[in-house]
Amino acid sequence: MLTPIPLPRAPEAAASLLSDALAGIAEESGTISREAAVGAFRRHLARIQSYVQHAFEHEQITGLQAARLLGALIDGVVAALFEHSTTQTDLGFVENLSVAATGGYGRGVLAPFSDIDLLFLTAEDPTPETLRVVEYMLYFLWDLGLKVGHATRSIGDCLIEGGKDTTIRTALLDARFLTGNKTLFGDFHRRFRAACKEAGAAEYIAAKQAERALRHRRYGESPFVVEPNVKEGRGGLRDLQTLYWIARYVFDTQTMGELADLGGILTQQEARHGRRAWEFLWTVRFHLHYVAGRAEERLTFDLQPVVGARMGYTRHGRQDGVERFMRHYFLTAREIARLTRILEPAILRSALGPPALEAETDNALLSAGFVLAEGQLLPIAGRDFDAEPIQMLRILQVARDRGLELHPLAIRSFIQNERRAVSLRGDLKAAAIFMDLLCGKEPDRHRPGGPHPDGARWLGILNETGFFGRYLPDWARIVGQMQFDTYHIFTVDEHTIEAVRVLNKLERGELAEVAPIASELVDNVQSRRSLYLAMLLHDIAKGRGGDHSALGAEVALEVGPALGMTDEETETVSWLVLHHLLMSATAFKRDIDDPKTILDLADTIQSPERLRLLLILTVADMRAVSSKVWNGWKATLLRELYSRVAEVLAGGLATTERDVRVARAKQAVEALLIDWAPEEIEHFAGLGYAGYWLSFDPETHARHARLIRDAEHRKSPLTVDTQPLPARAVTEVTVYCADYAGLFSKISGALAVAGASIVDARIHTMTNGMALDTFWIQDTAGGTFDAPHRLARLSVLIEQALSGRLRLSTEIRRVSKVLLGRRMQAIHVPPRVVIDNRASNTHTVLEVNGRDRPGLLHDVTAAISDQGLQIASAHVTTYGVRAVDVFYVKDVFGLKIENERKLQPLRKALLLALNNPDDVTPPVTVPPVRKLKRAASA
């Protein structure tokens, strides 16, 4: 940034400096060449931009004040340019031309890298002389490096085009006189306002609402997306501007304060909330532009900690500064969404008159305290939400049962009376209605038009209006709670509501193809209420520090009785919350072919009903995280885990009868190899140890048998077989070659260079000394790695890696630079190593956590091999940028590693391997934090 040069704070005085500079040039040379003029303007513009940035970052004016200051200073530049164009060039003076600002610039606010929108207004069609002045000014501004949006229209054209196009009408609504013929602009303003009044507000308001709905679909329906768009996202600046446009169109007001002064439209407190939100978002936007060095409107992961630090958010207790900053952002976005629900219906009613009540509302609805207005529900006078807070829950129940929508005025009243929800705590009638809304009616899939559970819809209304946080204090603690990672795409409260929505879809049978087992089981659970409440509370203790599952289980023990749950139901809810991560952790981070894994899980779950509930809860939780988390591979692992535990709980074949299972596996593959000679079958059956026979299905064993026979027949030192498995969304890669230390590491390195992501692996050394290593891979986007040319390249890379012709470290580093963006590097993942000698009877289990990157598995497995350990299986899981890799290992004698003298160097070697030598954290420039001066009005 340039060193700030003294510049008068008053825009008029700043503009006079530019005029003086131009006059000085004219005195020296007699005339002002275009190049000299551009140079003078460019120097002045640099001083303006430097001055505003310095004032914002060091004098700590708010973003809104900075936006107004920058807009006013640019006004001076445009006015000076107009004067220069019409008096100091050979273009001559143009009388019937007015220059106006439109768009955001027209509202008097301007972000550092935003466009400048100008309207060149004429009385009639512009003359050639007028067009030459306009052309000169535009090219001049472009030469200054400014982005200029422009239109040249007569007053008549403005009225015609504005009448046809809502976007043009909105731009004209923002029009503000800058320079030129002021009388001409005044005439335009009067005629335009008269045209707006004649057209009426209904059509304009409907158009702006449709425009907003389209924008929300594009940028996200929720204000709680973890990488929000500050300008266009829901709860962003554009939503506030939409309210401003509608209010100005109807009332010709400029600020929230003016709206509050009208009476009945907005309270003074609501106006203050709007002003605070406006100021906060503008401050965030200014920081975003300055940090990014461009017109960046998306608050991405890499920018969040920088902007948060610049705004003075530091660690407080267990919460990082970036999480505190983002929570403030999300609560502000929610406030804007609430303000929209409050203000818009009031403006509509003022413009269009009171809602038309239905002449024949039935007595049952009237006795419940509601009336139909325009086909939508409203509380009747005398039984409003302030007088009877329980009506806030009842109106949702009635809307659900009758298939009706809430009237916008009902939502407005909901928000304005949300504090009254406090009085419903401990009210058993309110609790019963709440649980009914959460769980809904049990679906009857056999009866068309039967009830469909839709609890997520009503939870969304309760959450957005603020009722939920008042009614359930523990819920208020997770509203807007961000999880600073790339795994979750919603805040905790939105993720929870989404999980309930997935549960609704499971019950309606809409996920039968992607989650068939859970869709089938959900019809057979006996503890439906417990399932829904556990889903609601599974993340209720996030952000409190410690194990959120254990803390959440304690919260469930308090919330359950308060919501009318029985002791048995409450105990089930608490157990489910405590163990809601158990099945996913076991399926993705443990060897489910290890009998002890299954027995330990069965011992914890104990009940078939709990197993059903836990699987359904796990599926809904995972699918609610993001669309990228759930895939065919994870679904397969969960299904296999469920079936094995269910078999044990049902008293079927015990997992300890290992020899029986091995014998059955050999018999099954023998039945598939019907064209083989008995001695060939006997030879293959003798190659695998027990662990091998328990790791694959009969079809895979048969495929391995043919692969090994072919390799032995050809005396091939290396065989690579690839098998796409679309049903499981993975490709299976099998490598058969002589075994040696470090083999797994080299193969995983070659797969990384090929652009493959390993999701699971099995490593088997056969009795003949050969290795049969199997990898299940996906591409980096989580899809099946199945393109023929990629599979061919993968085989070549494995051969080159094993022969030493491929320099893995160099190639992996090259791939990393391509795949790892700066945005992902902003997420800090502390390296962690856990060594567990209790999870398996035969192996030491190593769990490593670190930032995911190409070649991570290669580095970690190389470190394990360097410690003289043998890897039996690897289980690879990623959560956004966090990798969790689990290895089952033995020492060279086939024993577990239990000596602390061996464990210490192993732990150090793994931590060293988790560090990426290419990680460079850029320094964060943080201006000094002082108390902000608040803008006078908004």
Side-chain angles (χ1 to χ4, degrees), residues 589-837:
K589 295 161 62 176
R590 290 293 180 265
D591 186 354
I592 62 175
D593 292 315
D594 186 333
K596 189 174 188 302
T597 299
I598 305 302
L599 286 174
D600 286 349
L601 190 59
D603 187 53
T604 301
I605 296 175
Q606 299 181 349
S607 151
E609 171 72 356
R610 282 185 171 180
L611 177 62
R612 288 189 288 269
L613 294 171
L614 200 55
L615 177 71
I616 296 165
L617 192 73
T618 302
V619 171
D621 187 17
M622 288 183 61
R623 285 193 62 85
V625 170
S626 82
S627 58
K628 297 179 180 178
V629 168
W630 181 265
N631 56 41
W633 173 247
K634 291 181 178 179
T636 299
L637 290 177
L638 282 171
R639 280 199 299 270
E640 291 179 0
L641 180 62
Y642 171 81
S643 63
R644 295 181 189 188
V645 177
E647 186 180 16
V648 174
L649 292 176
L653 178 65
T655 59
T656 52
E657 296 177 14
R658 190 179 182 89
D659 293 341
V660 174
R661 296 177 66 203
V662 169
R664 288 188 177 182
K666 290 181 179 181
Q667 291 169 4
V669 74
E670 183 178 350
L672 294 175
L673 300 174
I674 54 176
D675 57 335
W676 280 38
E679 58 271 16
E680 288 181 311
I681 294 176
E682 184 179 356
H683 170 69
F684 175 65
L687 288 178
Y689 293 102
Y692 168 75
W693 293 106
L694 298 176
S695 297
F696 301 98
D697 57 32
E699 290 76 15
T700 305
H701 283 141
R703 196 167 70 248
H704 289 168
R706 296 186 181 95
L707 180 148
I708 293 172
R709 185 176 71 168
D710 181 63
E712 291 178 343
H713 177 72
R714 293 186 292 107
K715 294 183 171 54
S716 173
L718 171 67
T719 300
V720 179
D721 177 67
T722 57
Q723 186 81 20
L725 305 174
R728 301 167 79 176
V730 293
T731 292
E732 184 177 289
V733 179
T734 305
V735 180
Y736 183 67
C737 63
D739 194 16
Y740 61 89
L743 175 65
F744 181 89
S745 176
K746 289 186 177 181
I747 298 173
S748 60
L751 293 175
V753 174
S757 176
I758 302 170
V759 297
D760 210 345
R762 293 287 187 279
I763 299 93
H764 295 284
T765 301
M766 315 305 278
T767 57
N768 61 356
M770 299 290 282
L772 185 68
D773 292 353
T774 306
F775 299 81
W776 289 273
I777 63 172
Q778 296 177 324
D779 62 22
T780 52
T784 307
F785 193 102
D786 57 0
H789 70 281
R790 299 185 74 186
L791 294 176
R793 179 171 178 265
L794 181 146
S795 298
V796 171
L797 288 171
I798 291 176
E799 189 275 328
Q800 290 177 342
L802 298 187
S803 64
R805 290 184 289 126
L806 184 67
R807 299 184 63 180
L808 284 172
S809 57
T810 302
E811 292 299 317
I812 288 172
R813 188 172 291 110
R814 181 182 61 81
V815 173
S816 296
K817 290 180 180 178
V818 175
L819 295 179
L820 284 181
R822 180 179 172 186
R823 171 173 161 265
M824 294 298 109
Q825 293 177 7
I827 309 299
H828 176 58
V829 183
R832 181 170 178 258
V833 175
V834 177
I835 301 176
D836 189 349
N837 273 306

Side-chain angles (χ1 to χ4, degrees), residues 200-210 246 249-250 344 347-348 351-352:
E203 179 264 340
Y204 180 78
I205 294 173
K208 299 312 291 183
Q209 289 174 328
I246 293 174
Y249 195 93
V250 175
E344 208 166 84
I347 296 175
L348 274 169
L352 308 178

